[in-house]
Amino acid sequence: MPARDRLTDADAIARLRAKDATLFAEDAAGRDEIAQRLGWVDLASSPVAVGLAASAKSLAKEARSQGITDVVLLGMGGSSLAALVMDEVLAAESCGARLHVLDTVSPVTIARALEETNPATTLHLVSSKSGTTIETTTLYAIFRERADRVLGAGVAGSRFIAITDPDTPLAHFAAEANFRALVLAPANVGGRFSALTAFGILPAALAGADIDLIFERAAAAETACSAPADENPAVELAAFIEDSREAGADKLTLVAPKELRALGLWIEQLVAESLGKVGQGVVPVVELAEEPAGLGPDRAIVVVRMSGDARLAEWAAAQRGRFGVFEIVLDDAYDIAEEFVVWEHAVALVGSLMGVNPFDQPNVAEAKDATLVVLESAAEVPSATVAFDGIHVTFAGALPEPTHQERSIATALGHAIASLGAGDYIALLAYLPNDDQLLEPLTSAVPAVASATGAAFCFELGPRYLHSTGQLHKGGPDNGVFVLVTNRDAVDLEVPGHAWSLKTLHRAQALGDLAALIGHDRRVLWLDLPDASEASVRRLAEALLDGAGVVHEPLS
């Protein structure tokens, strides 16, 4: 039976709008847990939104009047991605402070952020739902030490705002550390469903976005998502995703122009973390090419474009008949607020159809726990199999060592690519600085490799992906091949109050996930670069192209 009919028969729309947890769980314990995660359903239309809008606008006005020029967001996953999307998509519409979203512990990236901002004119958002996120607390220690040193402990606290749930360690600490403000998010809204809570709204307000318009568009979408199935955008999207998955097209391929591509990062987390569990899943693929070619039969394409984008409209039309295509057309940039609501409803509905709980993330904690073990020097890390020009190569998990003698990094990558079967995907998990110029060789190589192999190719930055697709990698189907990339760069930063440095944490997170992937018997190729230089990244990109048999000019 088509997904739309099953949703209708289950009265899923009315039950979701009524926050009926029985839509997702039959057992009492499961229902009780889910019932505490449905506050997002009518959030934009609630008094909570009115109070949040007023508070966010007031804080933004106060910051402008006090000469705040930069906002540094210290957060991961659901505590950062919506803010990142709104900042990038609404950039032309906004007129506030510059927003720096630091969802990494790459020492190179953090050192650059420290150089580019002045603590006297910078507001720091310490953003964590649990109040204990290791990346967030680590970065806070670094930025707070700088603020204390430059401004003095008496003034430094006024440059920090905590965003967290009620009664978390961070909520209590904010008062003790004399933070400028504590802004609470609803406890009944999970992280990846929290775009319209303080986690997304406060950074957007500080960056100059029109918060009233965001909530206006979102509220209209909530109304639309309560409509009958034949005119409900969430049902339409959910049916497309689930019907495609059941037909074997489980690679939900997001195609958008560069100015809208950040939305894909938020969708990626929502889809992967909500649906990738108990051996099932939908693999979100954020395409890096504006007109991807060589797509395999396992693709379901979602095109996100502006209404005047004739080029992408023509490309989407050309794909129909070969692939399922779902088009999302935005009239202006603020329509992304509607997409937050529609996608949240649609993904929840897909979860109900798949029989999975879309509100938990049972496998995310594995990598977190393994990271702590590495930091305590108690983890067993596989030894490198071979090394080429300073790049250490390790075949791990279910990826067997090749029977022939490895002669290059390209040969090693070719061995991993050759392990791909029908319906498999490859994920490049790169623990590298978040720098567009540095990563450009890889972002250019990935679409070419995907086209040459016909396999979906996901390019993920660590540790960001640990809070996103990491759940799918370990909890979803065993159809992924993972190329884990680390580096031994000399750049490092001390972390006040900790025995380990930032570089140590960055590497420990990679090795923790390596251990978790091995524990699930996934196919893993670990490449450890000598540094995070342009030359090393370029060598990796060229080897990736060569390993896939792509003829190319030397990368400059």
Side-chain angles (χ1 to χ4, degrees), residues 207-483:
D210 186 334
I211 300 305
D212 291 330
L213 186 55
I214 288 172
F215 276 124
E216 178 184 314
R217 298 286 175 87
E222 288 179 353
T223 299
C225 289
S226 64
D230 58 354
E231 53 190 70
N232 188 309
V235 170
E236 184 181 6
L237 177 57
F240 173 78
I241 295 171
E242 178 60 3
D243 288 339
S244 298
R245 186 188 72 87
E246 292 183 348
D250 65 337
K251 311 304 185 301
L252 190 68
T253 302
L254 306 166
V255 180
K258 189 172 183 179
E259 60 270 21
L260 294 176
R261 198 169 297 153
L263 180 61
L265 293 175
W266 179 83
I267 293 172
E268 180 183 59
Q269 183 197 23
L270 183 70
V271 171
E273 204 169 27
S274 298
L275 305 178
K277 55 199 71 172
V278 295
Q280 301 187 74
V282 173
V283 180
V285 183
V286 181
E287 282 290 345
L288 300 177
E290 294 199 0
E291 296 184 15
L295 304 181
D298 57 348
R299 303 295 193 107
I301 299 173
V302 174
V303 173
V304 183
R305 64 177 177 86
M306 301 304 296
S307 56
D309 190 342
R311 178 198 56 79
L312 196 48
E314 291 175 5
W315 182 85
Q319 309 311 308
R320 296 184 187 278
R322 297 177 58 236
F323 305 99
V325 178
F326 190 96
E327 278 195 271
I328 296 172
V329 182
L330 309 182
D331 290 326
D332 62 43
Y334 276 93
D335 276 354
I336 61 166
E338 298 179 9
E339 294 310 312
F340 289 144
V341 172
V342 172
W343 278 91
E344 287 172 352
H345 280 73
V347 167
L349 291 173
V350 173
S352 74
L353 292 169
M354 292 174 60
V356 302
N357 176 359
F359 309 111
D360 68 357
Q361 46 283 330
N363 301 104
V364 170
E366 293 179 40
K368 294 180 181 179
D369 294 342
T371 293
L372 295 177
V373 173
V374 174
L375 286 173
E376 294 168 358
S377 301
E380 293 186 8
V381 178
S383 301
T385 307
V386 68
F388 301 105
D389 299 326
I391 299 178
H392 300 167
V393 182
T394 306
F395 303 92
L399 182 67
E401 291 187 25
T403 55
H404 59 282
Q405 182 65 39
E406 290 300 313
R407 295 183 300 278
S408 67
I409 301 302
T411 308
L413 283 162
H415 176 68
I417 291 170
S419 75
L420 290 165
D424 284 351
Y425 70 97
I426 188 166
L428 181 63
L429 312 177
Y431 285 78
L432 292 168
N434 189 356
D435 181 316
D436 289 345
Q437 182 175 343
L438 174 70
L439 299 174
E440 195 278 331
L442 288 174
T443 56
S444 296
V446 164
V449 172
S451 179
T453 61
F457 200 140
C458 305
F459 180 35
E460 310 282 3
L461 286 181
R464 172 192 283 165
Y465 78 86
L466 295 177
H467 300 261
S468 177
T469 53
Q471 167 61 42
L472 170 75
H473 296 163
K474 296 174 281 288
D478 184 11
N479 60 344
V481 175
F482 305 98
V483 178

Side-chain angles (χ1 to χ4, degrees), residues 20-22 24-25 29-38 357-359:
D20 180 358
T22 64
F24 305 103
R31 291 197 302 268
D32 289 345
E33 180 183 353
I34 290 169
Q36 303 304 313
R37 290 290 179 265
L38 294 171
N357 176 359
F359 309 111

Side-chain angles (χ1 to χ4, degrees), residues 56 71 73 79 83-84 87 97 99 101 125 127 163 197-209 211:
V71 174
L73 172 58
S79 299
L84 176 65
D87 182 53
L99 181 63
V101 178
L125 303 182
S127 185
I163 306 175
T197 70
F199 291 113
I201 293 300
L202 181 55
L206 291 165
I211 300 305

Side-chain angles (χ1 to χ4, degrees), residues 5 29 120 134 144 200 300 306 363 389 410 466 499 514 552:
D5 293 343
I134 191 170
R144 181 59 187 259
M306 301 304 296
N363 301 104
D389 299 326
L466 295 177
L514 173 65
H552 63 94

